[in-house]
Amino acid sequence: MIRQYELIDMVKAYDPDLDEMLLNRAYVFSMKAHGTQKRASGDPYFSHPLEVAGILTEMQLDGDTIVTALLHDTIEDTVATFEQIEGLFGDDIAKMVDGVTKLSELEYTSETSKQAENFRKFLLAMSNDIRVLLVKLADRLHNMRTLHHIQNTEKRARISRETLDIYAPLAERIGMQELMNELEDLAFPHVYPEAHESIMKRLDYLYANTENVRDEVISELEKIFAENFLDAEVIGRRKQPYSIWKKITYRNVSLENQADLFAFRVIVDNVEDCYKALGIIHKSWQAVPGLLKDYISMPKPNGYQSIHTVVIGPQRKRIEIQIRSTEMDIIAEKGVAAHWQYKNQVSIKDGAHYRWLQDLLEIMEHAADPEEFLEHTKIAMYQNQVFCFTPKGELINLPAGSSVVDFAYAVHTKVGDTCVGGKVNGEAAQLKRVLNNGDQVEILRSKAQKPHQSWVNFVVTGKAKAAIRRYTRQQQKKEYIELGEEILKHSFEQEKREYTKKAITAAAKKMNLRGSGGVFEKVGSGEISDRTVLEIVFPGLKNKNGSHAVGAIVVDKKRPHKAGDNQLPIKGLAPGLPVVISKCCHPLPGDRIVGIVTSGKGIMVHTIDCDALDVYTEMPESWLDLSWNPPENSAEINIARVDLALKHVTGALASVLSIVAQDEGNVSNIKFSERSLDIFRIELDIEVRDVKHLTGIIAALRASKYVNSIEKSFS
Ligand code: MN
């Protein structure tokens, strides 16, 4: 076990400005907090944080990180609290310890590779200070080094599987080759015991017979470099069993074919010498075409630089050689940590804050392959995402700001359609509750539930929006069909004609619509008036009261009016511009109106109290003062929209429609906006002559026993 003064000496060796007091305090605090706790090995628990701190001093990490390492299990495993640590060690360290704790609390359960990738993204997003991730990786490394003390085989396998799936790839992503190799080889025998055993046996045999080849390659290389006066160090290392096994499984090559039982490495002083060394090697040994890779001019996104070549060496065996400078070698082995050692020495003295993630991204910016680069810059983009869990531990990845409903739709469309509420971390939550990183979300469902239009106001994912809209459209279609039939029955009755489906089907043919349903839908949605259908079924039908759709102000955006059309009785229009009566407030003759000159749509006509005008308050130049001409033609038809709350009883809708008809209004559109057990809310578009006409209809409706409330709609 490392002693207190030893740890301090280790850090001071590379960081002379270390805050010794702080480190001492952390040492004592952690030792006291862990007290008599023991590890599986029988060692005092405190030896674990101490060893983790030791691993991080090998990476030459700053004092704050070492302190964090000492404290990293105190919040999770002892009575120590965040506030205590904040008080004793300050905000930065408390946050880092909290970060490591959060990473540890999450258990990775699923075994699909997609989940593993999601989980890695999650860890990156959670460690917004990359030092948190480094502490977590060192923690994992020490746990793997002491894994043999755990008796339970399954537990060893589970922890090792997690190491292979999550932590080793993370180490690789931030360029820590050495750490990755050690994690993989510690985990390998526990996850694939048989594979490990057979590979180790085979390797023992192969190495026994190839050791002389290695020595020959090394001395041959040393000789040719000396002859060419190049100062170079030559190393021949055995390749890691796990990486050999990966190649065998994924690339389907046999062990005999592996040119790379050994990794030969040539280390020189600088970039220039790297290319010199390459030239010398290729002059002496024949290069295998197509296998030369220059990661010096095109570094890997994690900062890795080297030249790789494959040549036919002594005994006509293929050998793989990596050529790199000393600095490149350290970066290749230590990744981000090396980068820190090289570039941040100045800022240690300045006491400046380290911007780890920034640094990592900087390395990655040298990446040549745009796809690879994008893949890695995603790290920064994860800051805009939240990662939540299902009760079974499955990870759901959502954009920031997502709600319980988004989560439900991300799980499955059916789950979204039927969700009535949720539990977030065990506590009841509303559907619109915004989710945070790490939340565990349980969706409560009911078969009776239907997606609500209003959900669109708070969902953020495209999937949820599309599903809600799709449902609303289907629902609307259904309601249009029901309503259209209702309207037609009613107007047939008014004309004292017999209503038959057969007649409607015949009319559908003439109008080129799909059966009676097509006609109902068009009538229900107001695209075709009931009158039109009547006239098609009974040609020559007299226009009784002039409530013919012709002459109505067209609200259709596709066919805007031109100013000067005598159909529009509005004063003050600019000539030549198309005019659109806005759908938001449905201005009627008699309403106080203004026009807004827009660049694309021409003049939009609004009522003076319309909310849509707020946007234009700062742009007085686009306002036009308009007013209605006095009505010349009482048969003029305009469309008004009213909001109605009706009692949910049979006959309520029919009664409302007949009241409107009695007062010579014509319902051109109806929309259901809300349904509940005792009330349903509808929006009614009524063709009326003017405000006075509308006021009369509203008064009549208000008198109905079925109507709970009514108002002119502005939205
Ligand atoms: Mn730990």
Side-chain angles (χ1 to χ4, degrees):
M1 202 159 98
I2 310 167
R3 298 287 178 159
Q4 189 166 2
Y5 66 88
E6 284 173 339
L7 184 69
I8 287 177
D9 284 349
M10 277 151 75
V11 185
K12 267 173 82 179
Y14 60 85
D15 183 1
D17 295 335
L18 172 73
D19 183 348
E20 277 185 53
M21 285 295 288
L22 196 72
L23 197 56
N24 274 322
R25 204 186 300 152
Y27 187 101
V28 174
F29 183 87
S30 176
M31 186 173 60
K32 272 163 107 181
H34 287 293
T36 56
Q37 289 175 351
K38 288 249 158 65
R39 298 265 296 169
S41 60
D43 289 337
Y45 193 94
F46 178 56
S47 65
H48 165 67
L50 201 49
E51 292 295 336
V52 174
I55 291 169
L56 291 162
T57 60
E58 284 165 31
M59 299 179 194
Q60 305 201 355
L61 285 160
D62 65 309
D64 282 3
T65 312
I66 308 300
V67 168
T68 304
L70 288 172
L71 303 173
H72 83 269
D73 276 333
T74 53
I75 294 184
E76 200 185 4
D77 294 339
T78 79
V79 294
T81 63
F82 178 88
E83 289 72 25
Q84 246 178 325
I85 288 176
E86 196 180 25
L88 283 165
F89 304 98
D91 190 39
D92 283 353
I93 286 170
K95 272 192 190 136
M96 283 207 277
V97 175
D98 191 47
V100 183
T101 309
K102 287 212 174 97
L103 295 192
S104 311
E105 276 168 358
L106 296 158
E107 216 174 309
Y108 160 72
T109 46
S110 177
E111 295 199 350
T112 68
S113 60
K114 195 184 152 211
Q115 282 291 302
E117 178 54 24
N118 268 340
F119 205 89
R120 290 194 291 268
K121 284 179 189 169
F122 172 63
L123 292 189
L124 282 171
M126 289 292 277
S127 14
N128 41 24
D129 185 330
I130 208 154
R131 290 176 298 177
V132 169
L133 185 60
L134 292 176
V135 174
K136 185 64 205 163
L137 286 172
D139 173 47
R140 177 52 59 127
L141 179 61
H142 183 246
N143 286 336
M144 289 305 294
R145 281 178 182 171
T146 53
L147 191 68
H148 55 276
H149 291 299
I150 289 175
Q151 297 298 318
N152 183 333
T153 322
E154 271 167 32
K155 191 176 176 191
R156 285 203 305 263
R158 183 182 61 75
I159 294 172
S160 298
R161 149 77 60 187
E162 198 178 79
T163 301
L164 286 186
D165 283 354
I166 307 297
Y167 294 100
L170 271 180
E172 187 189 24
R173 188 163 293 185
I174 57 175
M176 305 179 80
Q177 188 77 28
E178 206 175 44
L179 183 65
M180 179 195 83
N181 285 337
E182 192 176 347
L183 286 175
E184 285 184 343
D185 282 319
L186 287 166
F188 186 23
H190 302 288
V191 180
Y192 307 102
E194 290 86 11
H196 179 256
E197 207 191 314
S198 61
I199 281 201
M200 292 313 278
K201 268 191 194 150
R202 185 79 191 133
L203 284 179
D204 280 348
Y205 169 80
L206 287 171
Y207 282 132
N209 293 286
T210 49
E211 207 64 29
N212 61 329
V213 179
R214 168 167 73 167
D215 295 343
E216 202 178 323
V217 171
I218 292 176
S219 60
E220 193 69 22
L221 281 171
E222 281 170 347
K223 200 182 102 199
I224 55 174
F225 291 141
E227 283 168 7
N228 289 279
F229 307 105
L230 184 77
D231 211 3
E233 186 191 353
V234 183
I235 303 167
R237 270 198 210 158
R238 290 184 178 194
K239 285 221 162 170
Q240 308 292 128
Y242 185 70
S243 73
I244 292 173
W245 186 77
K246 264 198 296 193
K247 268 192 189 163
I248 294 172
T249 16
Y250 296 129
R251 295 205 201 144
N252 207 15
V253 292
S254 77
L255 203 45
E256 275 74 14
N257 287 341
Q258 293 253 316
D260 40 10
L261 285 176
F262 295 105
F264 292 100
R265 192 172 297 164
V266 174
I267 298 168
V268 293
D269 286 339
N270 51 49
V271 175
E272 221 188 307
D273 285 354
C274 289
Y275 291 101
K276 269 189 203 157
L278 179 71
I280 293 166
I281 294 168
H282 281 188
K283 222 163 62 186
S284 313
W285 288 328
Q286 189 196 330
V288 178
L291 293 180
L292 174 71
K293 282 178 196 145
D294 182 356
Y295 294 116
I296 291 178
S297 60
M298 293 209 293
K300 286 189 185 181
N302 62 11
Y304 177 86
Q305 285 188 297
S306 266
I307 297 170
H308 292 187
T309 184
V310 178
V311 295
I312 308 295
Q315 303 181 18
R316 302 290 302 157
K317 283 201 188 301
R318 283 159 67 126
I319 50 171
E320 194 186 307
I321 304 173
Q322 302 168 348
I323 306 161
R324 52 174 83 151
S325 71
T326 314
E327 183 178 341
M328 290 174 201
D329 190 48
I330 293 174
I331 288 174
E333 294 294 318
K334 309 212 182 284
V336 175
H339 183 76
W340 180 84
Q341 285 168 36
Y342 268 91
K343 308 263 164 86
N344 283 32
Q345 272 163 359
V346 181
S347 54
I348 295 175
K349 279 169 195 139
D350 293 343
H353 285 286
Y354 315 109
R355 303 188 47 157
W356 288 84
L357 212 46
Q358 227 66 44
D359 284 356
L360 181 61
L361 291 173
E362 227 169 74
I363 305 175
M364 287 164 182
E365 249 159 341
H366 298 301
D369 183 345
E371 256 179 46
E372 270 187 322
F373 173 59
L374 253 180
E375 172 58 28
H376 286 74
T377 47
K378 275 185 193 154
I379 294 167
M381 298 199 279
Y382 300 151
Q383 305 302 327
N384 302 324
Q385 296 186 35
V386 289
F387 298 81
C388 303
F389 294 85
T390 66
K392 283 181 185 162
E394 224 178 308
L395 194 67
I396 304 288
N397 184 356
L398 296 163
S402 287
S403 63
V404 169
V405 172
D406 290 295
F407 184 93
Y409 274 107
V411 173
H412 198 280
T413 307
K414 272 188 190 159
V415 177
D417 283 348
T418 55
C419 69
V420 289
K423 277 187 178 175
V424 175
N425 304 322
E427 279 175 31
Q430 285 187 315
L431 287 173
K432 63 180 177 190
R433 157 82 166 264
V434 173
L435 299 171
N436 291 317
N437 250 332
D439 279 349
Q440 197 205 61
V441 185
E442 187 187 341
I443 299 296
L444 307 174
R445 299 169 64 185
S446 157
K447 272 187 187 163
Q449 177 69 312
K450 302 277 185 300
H452 280 246
Q453 175 71 41
S454 62
W455 293 355
V456 172
N457 299 331
F458 59 78
V459 299
V460 300
T461 53
K463 194 179 175 192
K465 278 185 186 161
I468 296 162
R469 292 217 175 98
R470 198 183 318 122
Y471 180 83
T472 323
R473 264 201 308 275
Q474 281 168 3
Q475 199 58 22
Q476 199 172 43
K477 188 177 171 184
K478 226 177 96 197
E479 275 164 3
Y480 280 158
I481 289 174
E482 280 171 18
L483 179 76
E485 184 167 18
E486 199 72 25
I487 291 174
L488 282 175
K489 273 183 189 166
H490 183 77
S491 44
F492 272 65
E493 203 179 290
Q494 287 262 331
E495 289 293 333
K496 306 200 166 40
R497 304 277 179 159
E498 195 199 350
Y499 170 82
T500 58
K501 267 228 171 126
K502 211 174 131 194
I504 306 296
T505 313
K509 260 190 194 151
K510 285 186 192 162
M511 290 188 281
N512 213 5
L513 293 171
R514 268 204 193 168
S516 54
V519 177
F520 295 150
E521 192 190 340
K522 294 275 180 195
V523 172
S525 71
E527 277 176 67
I528 296 175
S529 77
D530 52 336
R531 196 75 206 166
T532 309
V533 180
L534 268 171
E535 283 170 12
I536 287 169
V537 178
F538 306 108
L541 192 75
K542 275 202 172 171
N543 192 348
K544 198 178 73 181
N545 54 12
S547 69
H548 197 281
V550 174
I553 289 174
V554 177
V555 190
D556 191 345
K557 277 186 195 150
K558 284 176 244 162
R559 296 184 286 126
H561 285 267
K562 287 277 190 291
D565 282 7
N566 50 16
Q567 271 174 316
L568 271 181
I570 295 174
K571 272 197 289 196
L573 290 170
L577 281 174
V579 180
V580 179
I581 303 296
S582 70
K583 273 188 163 179
C584 45
C585 50
H586 292 271
L588 287 176
D591 281 337
R592 173 78 177 95
I593 50 172
V594 292
I596 297 293
V597 184
T598 63
S599 52
K601 292 178 194 154
I603 301 168
M604 303 285 299
V605 180
H606 294 274
T607 61
I608 191 81
D609 51 359
C610 176
D611 290 341
L613 293 174
D614 291 354
V615 190
Y616 301 101
T617 42
E618 303 290 322
M619 302 146 73
E621 67 280 1
S622 51
W623 290 60
L624 279 178
D625 190 9
L626 303 178
S627 62
W628 295 97
N629 282 331
E632 301 148 21
N633 174 5
S634 63
E636 190 82 64
I637 302 297
N638 305 286
I639 296 170
R641 177 169 293 176
V642 294
D643 260 342
L644 273 166
L646 298 181
K647 292 205 171 67
H648 204 162
V649 292
T650 324
L653 185 61
S655 156
V656 161
L657 293 177
S658 86
I659 291 169
V660 174
Q662 271 163 24
D663 281 5
E664 296 181 356
N666 185 37
V667 172
S668 66
N669 193 8
I670 186 164
K671 202 169 118 198
F672 290 79
S673 54
E674 202 182 309
R675 276 174 195 262
S676 67
L677 272 180
D678 44 8
I679 274 185
F680 64 105
R681 222 169 255 286
I682 54 174
E683 269 175 27
L684 224 48
D685 286 356
I686 308 174
E687 294 175 1
V688 293
R689 290 186 297 274
D690 51 29
V691 171
K692 209 176 138 208
H693 186 192
L694 177 66
T695 315
I697 292 174
I698 289 179
L701 285 171
R702 202 167 269 140
S704 161
K705 63 176 177 177
Y706 295 115
V707 174
N708 268 23
S709 71
I710 178 166
E711 54 190 327
K712 195 183 168 201
S713 166
F714 286 100
S715 53

